[in-house]
Amino acid sequence: MKNTIFAFKNIHVQVESKEVVRGVSLEIGPGEKHAIMGKNGSGKSSLANALAGHPAYEITKGEAYINGQNLLEMDATERARAGLFLAFQYPLAIPGVTVANFLRSAVRARNGGDESVLKTFRKDLMEMFAFLEIDKSFAARYINDGFSGGEKKRLEILQMAMLKPKMAILDETDSGLDIDALKIVSKGINQASPSDGGVLLITHYQRLLNYVKPDYVHVMMDGRIVQSGGPELALKLEDQGYDWLESKNARAVEV
Amino acid sequence: MAEITNNQPNIATIGDDYATKYGFRDPEDYFHKGARGLNHEVVEMISRMKKEPDWMRQFRHDALDIYLAKPMPTWGNTELLNSIDFENIYYYIKPTEFQSTNWDDVPENIKNTFNKLGIPEAEQKFLAGVTAQYESEVVYHSFQADLERQGVIFLDMDSGLREHPDIVKKYFATVIPPHDNKFAALNSAVWSGGSFIYVPPGLDVKIPLQAYFRINAENMGQFERTLIIADRGSRVHYIEGCTAPVYSTDSLHSAVVELIALDDAYIRYTTIQNWSHNIFNLVTKRAMAHKNATVEWVDGNIGSRLTMKFPCIYLVGEGAKGEILSVAFAGNGQHQDAGAKVIHVAPKTSSRITSKSISKAGGRASYRGLVKVYPKAENCKISVECDALLIDGASRSDTYPTMEIDADNVRVEHEARVSKVAEEQLFYLTSRGLTEDEARLLIVNGFIEPFTKELPMEYAVELNRLIELEMEGSVG
């Protein structure tokens, strides 16, 4: 078995007793970027939520490891502290809690309550603000409360940069972004991607992959990975759509 | 107002609890402790010990008759109310013979108690004056000399009556007469301690004044009486806090607080109520705001078994403003029946009510509100916002808003919301490494942020810490 940061095998996921992921496996090595593409309802976001430990997404079967630790024995908190990060497709608003206070709590929590990591917090935060072209006033705003779509996604990437995960799963981070915002967010993802860690991009469209280059591309359909390849696979999907895969896998879809 | 820079929960202190922090008790070594129960002899004894003028003695006796004649309330949590054993309560305990102006003269036990509660420290750091009430009497009092020289009066109510009988007689019980309600009558009969404040015209008391109320004895009844008069164009901010030991039997706290803001004056009255869970907290608070005056009640209720408190503002002068900002936290076994009342009597008056409640572990929070606009009060502005947050399915929130508007050209905004801590919000925060408890606490602190940001920073930190203790669920 190759040296992996993040690996899962034959993962099955149920939501409200309906199976939405039906046996997905992947191994992600240090420094690798993988992309999972697929249409709405293919199960890719369910996979992301289940791996991050969302209580409504039950993993009924399979194995998953982060840095060799058994992921499925951990709750969401422990997974985050082990270095897993999920950038949400729909980030939640937490009224009354400022971005700065939240990030400070999260950075401390991610590091197991170690206060010493906060010494450079302010400086790091300001640097990331500048890098992601975020106004300083952002720090005092309430988390995602009244944020535009682009601001929400920037805040997700800001969190990723501040929390320094070993393994980042980005769920439709490109959705709802105009081209300028997409470029900034992509720049942020590239900057925050750990050289010795992994990144899993989940996306509907190819356009994010122009800015964040994946090493591997996988296509999900009806809860399974039906095709894997290099970056050229994404280009083919952009060009030809998903239809050729659908007819190819029509038989597999019928259970 | 101080900006809060770092009021987030300190995770390190999770696990402390009320019992060790506030709920400890001192041995009783009192100058005077009467018998349990209430009758005219008790009232006579209180008045005699205080060497009061005849009018006050008579006022008390009359009030007792009103109290005895009035039935218990038939609304609210009557089951809890009717469980109070009034005959089992001590109505007057005088812990020390004299009031001190130096902490070193306060008996060791009592001094240590206030030390543990951080009162002397707060006094030095950010208060212009302090009264510390223990059982029925203020045992310690201090006040900045320069404010005194400028004519500001800040005394306990008993000293106020002795030293400034004319002002007291002019205003006492004019805002809340004894027949207002049964518990106002009770307080009027047996009142002791509380604060008396008078701010001369045009004077701005820039630093807050604080009173701290401590109940120590089991089955104690504390009945402080506060009267604040802000003369024309003056400003004052008064803060009160309170705690008590944890007992298995009930105690009673029934205060009357009267505020009078004369023309162009400003009064802010801030309360952090943190009674132990065996205390019935039945309080009447009312303010009169005259022409262009502003009154603000900032009312935080964390403790007590049952609180019934509806701070009220009468906007009696044209252009007067009233604001009531409240937070109630109801944990297991608690009922916070809190709310607000604003009565628009004069034209061009405006009011804003913001009520936030949190219910957890079977606790119950009620918002009971009244906004009334009299026919002559044209061109008023009213805004009412009630937010309830339920932490779990076992908890309860009720809203009883009443609006009676009998004038023209009144602008009313009313919003009420009940929300639950959403699983999605919790997942979002836990996926960043926070524990579920930390995540819930963050959501709750965010929810009450409109309240905490109005507190001086030290109190905001303290309030967040109290909420943290309650969220931990370790309060006995």
Side-chain angles (χ1 to χ4, degrees):
Chain A
M1 196 166 141
K2 71 172 179 177
N3 179 25
T4 62
I5 287 293
F6 194 62
F8 48 90
K9 211 163 118 185
N10 193 29
I11 290 288
H12 289 247
V13 178
Q14 274 191 9
V15 183
E16 291 169 352
S17 55
K18 186 171 170 252
E19 185 157 74
V20 290
V21 176
R22 305 187 294 163
V24 173
S25 305
L26 210 57
E27 288 187 7
I28 299 175
E32 288 179 6
K33 287 193 184 75
H34 290 238
I36 292 183
M37 300 182 71
K39 302 213 299 195
N40 286 337
S42 59
K44 53 194 197 307
S45 281
S46 298
L47 176 69
N49 277 299
L51 289 171
H54 193 305
Y57 295 78
E58 192 195 351
I59 296 182
T60 52
K61 206 170 157 188
E63 300 165 49
Y65 300 92
I66 181 163
N67 250 355
Q69 294 170 267
N70 187 346
L71 194 79
L72 303 189
E73 284 178 353
M74 306 178 197
D75 62 18
T77 305
E78 292 162 337
R79 290 178 199 196
R81 291 182 183 192
L84 185 64
F85 178 85
L86 172 65
F88 279 51
Q89 183 177 4
Y90 303 110
L92 280 292
I94 316 284
V97 179
T98 63
V99 166
N101 269 353
F102 164 58
L103 282 172
R104 201 181 284 115
S105 300
V107 168
R108 183 173 45 209
R110 159 82 172 89
N111 292 282
D114 183 3
E115 296 278 338
S116 68
V117 296
L118 295 175
K119 273 183 203 150
T120 58
F121 174 81
R122 195 85 202 159
K123 188 174 139 281
D124 296 346
L125 185 63
M126 286 305 134
E127 280 174 14
M128 273 323 289
F129 271 23
F131 189 77
L132 292 172
E133 300 174 36
I134 294 171
D135 191 84
K136 274 185 194 147
S137 64
F138 216 70
R141 288 176 67 188
Y142 300 148
I143 304 166
N144 293 317
D145 196 18
F147 279 32
S148 70
E151 286 174 330
K152 285 182 185 175
K153 295 302 168 78
R154 265 184 237 203
L155 178 57
E156 293 299 288
I157 300 311
L158 176 69
Q159 291 176 51
M160 176 180 164
M162 295 299 290
L163 293 174
K164 300 185 172 53
K166 291 199 182 76
M167 177 67 215
I169 303 174
L170 308 172
D171 187 8
E172 306 268 7
T173 297
D174 52 334
S175 69
L177 296 183
D178 62 33
I179 192 69
D180 291 332
L182 181 69
K183 281 181 184 168
I184 292 168
V185 163
S186 301
K187 186 174 79 165
I189 296 171
N190 287 323
Q191 158 87 7
S193 295
S195 57
D196 56 348
V199 173
L200 180 59
L201 304 154
I202 287 176
T203 180
H204 197 117
Y205 301 107
Q206 195 269 339
R207 58 175 200 157
L208 172 70
L209 307 183
N210 290 333
Y211 302 99
V212 184
K213 304 266 188 237
D215 304 297
Y216 302 94
V217 174
H218 314 274
V219 182
M220 256 184 101
M221 208 169 267
D222 288 294
R224 290 198 179 97
I225 289 178
V226 294
Q227 186 85 23
S228 292
E232 73 286 348
L233 180 56
L235 295 169
K236 187 174 177 186
L237 286 170
E238 177 79 353
D239 198 32
Q240 301 180 13
Y242 288 94
D243 291 351
W244 61 279
L245 276 170
E246 268 173 12
S247 49
K248 190 180 152 197
N249 288 280
R251 194 170 299 272
V253 170
E254 287 168 32
V255 180
Chain B
M1 183 90 330
E3 194 62 39
I4 295 148
T5 51
N6 188 8
N7 62 351
Q8 62 176 13
N10 181 358
I11 292 156
T13 60
I14 287 182
D16 292 4
D17 64 6
Y18 191 97
T20 53
K21 208 82 194 166
Y22 312 101
F24 54 86
R25 57 188 82 161
D26 299 336
E28 292 180 19
D29 180 18
Y30 293 149
F31 179 74
H32 170 87
K33 182 175 182 178
R36 295 174 195 264
L38 178 59
N39 49 45
H40 280 283
E41 278 170 42
V42 171
V43 166
E44 185 64 28
M45 178 273 298
I46 293 172
S47 190
R48 210 170 46 230
M49 283 189 76
K50 291 177 180 294
K51 300 190 177 70
E52 286 177 342
D54 210 44
W55 71 267
M56 184 58 79
R57 192 179 62 86
Q58 198 52 50
F59 173 84
R60 288 177 182 276
H61 282 293
D62 293 347
L64 181 63
D65 286 334
I66 295 166
Y67 166 70
L68 294 171
K70 267 193 188 292
M72 286 290 281
T74 52
W75 51 277
N77 196 329
T78 49
E79 192 188 334
L80 274 181
L81 273 177
N82 291 325
S83 74
I84 303 171
D85 183 358
F86 290 96
E87 286 307 302
N88 196 38
I89 298 287
Y90 291 98
Y91 287 81
Y92 183 70
I93 294 177
K94 185 178 168 118
T96 60
E97 187 173 3
F98 302 108
Q99 191 182 101
S100 308
T101 52
N102 184 334
W103 281 110
D104 288 336
D105 299 333
V106 176
E108 198 70 17
N109 279 333
I110 299 178
K111 186 175 78 178
N112 287 343
T113 284
F114 284 114
N115 259 330
K116 279 195 221 175
L117 297 169
I119 309 306
E121 196 191 339
E123 175 187 359
Q124 280 174 14
K125 275 196 192 145
F126 52 83
L127 296 169
V130 164
T131 62
Q133 178 157 347
Y134 192 89
E135 315 293 25
S136 302
E137 294 288 351
V138 170
V139 295
Y140 172 83
H141 169 254
S142 74
F143 188 41
Q144 280 182 4
D146 58 322
L147 286 170
E148 202 170 351
R149 268 197 304 276
Q150 292 174 75
V152 181
I153 302 168
F154 175 45
L155 292 166
D156 65 286
M157 192 67 229
D158 295 280
S159 302
L161 174 61
R162 251 189 331 269
E163 296 174 25
H164 303 278
D166 296 344
I167 309 178
V168 172
K169 198 167 181 184
K170 183 174 174 190
Y171 291 106
F172 192 89
T174 57
V175 184
I176 305 170
H179 54 74
D180 186 82
N181 68 74
K182 188 170 176 79
F183 297 99
L186 172 62
N187 175 283
S188 299
V190 295
W191 73 267
S192 184
S195 301
F196 173 65
I197 296 171
Y198 171 81
V199 187
L203 208 98
D204 182 359
V205 182
K206 290 196 169 73
I207 311 171
L209 306 172
Q210 181 183 275
Y212 198 90
F213 298 94
R214 177 73 179 174
I215 288 177
N216 180 62
E218 189 165 15
N219 306 128
M220 179 61 196
Q222 192 176 61
F223 306 98
E224 88 265 12
R225 180 102 194 181
T226 289
L227 174 61
I228 300 176
I229 302 139
D231 212 326
R232 300 170 74 103
S234 68
R235 297 174 69 87
V236 66
H237 181 190
Y238 175 84
I239 302 172
E240 62 173 4
C242 56
T243 53
V246 178
Y247 292 110
S248 56
T249 58
D250 301 332
S251 293
L252 177 60
H253 173 256
S254 198
V256 165
V257 176
E258 300 176 283
L259 311 184
I260 296 155
L262 296 174
D263 294 2
D264 303 305
Y266 169 92
I267 301 176
R268 171 176 281 205
Y269 191 108
T270 298
T271 302
I272 306 289
Q273 182 269 104
N274 185 27
W275 292 120
S276 53
H277 289 194
N278 58 308
I279 292 198
F280 283 85
N281 185 43
L282 310 170
V283 171
T284 311
K285 289 184 164 167
R286 193 173 301 156
M288 289 284 173
H290 291 266
K291 192 176 171 191
N292 292 323
T294 300
V295 172
E296 296 167 352
W297 294 106
V298 179
D299 199 47
N301 293 292
I302 314 293
S304 83
R305 176 98 177 273
L306 170 68
T307 282
M308 291 177 81
K309 177 167 55 166
F310 318 99
C312 173
I313 305 171
Y314 274 75
L315 300 164
V316 294
E318 189 169 325
K321 289 190 183 69
E323 173 151 5
I324 302 164
L325 178 58
S326 68
V327 161
F329 188 105
N332 187 20
Q334 288 183 286
H335 185 176
Q336 303 284 6
D337 194 346
K341 294 184 198 177
V342 181
I343 317 295
H344 291 257
V345 183
K348 293 180 187 160
T349 48
S350 62
S351 65
R352 186 162 66 179
I353 294 172
T354 310
S355 160
K356 300 249 171 193
S357 76
I358 301 150
S359 318
K360 184 208 156 200
R364 181 175 172 195
S366 308
Y367 168 78
R368 205 179 290 278
L370 171 69
V371 176
K372 188 173 172 63
V373 181
Y374 279 95
K376 282 182 183 162
E378 291 179 344
N379 298 306
C380 290
K381 275 195 287 189
I382 296 156
S383 152
V384 180
E385 193 185 330
C386 303
D387 271 344
L389 183 67
L390 300 172
I391 303 291
D392 50 55
S395 304
R396 180 171 167 188
S397 156
D398 323 281
T399 307
Y400 309 99
T402 307
M403 288 217 187
E404 296 168 13
I405 296 170
D406 299 318
D408 295 327
N409 294 320
V410 174
R411 212 174 82 199
V412 183
E413 292 165 23
H414 184 231
E415 271 184 71
R417 275 185 299 269
V418 179
S419 51
K420 286 185 179 155
V421 172
E423 192 180 53
E424 291 293 332
Q425 279 180 319
L426 284 180
F427 174 58
Y428 187 56
L429 296 175
T430 53
S431 79
R432 276 28 177 172
L434 302 181
T435 63
E436 255 189 53
D437 281 349
E438 288 163 359
R440 250 185 227 106
L441 184 59
L442 204 61
I443 293 167
V444 167
N445 277 338
F447 177 75
I448 61 166
E449 201 269 353
F451 182 87
T452 37
K453 78 170 186 217
E454 289 302 318
L455 299 177
M457 193 178 86
E458 294 80 0
Y459 293 86
V461 170
E462 175 70 4
L463 183 78
N464 279 349
R465 230 182 52 72
L466 294 176
I467 296 280
E468 186 181 313
L469 294 181
E470 295 292 331
M471 287 298 292
E472 185 67 5
S474 55
V475 174

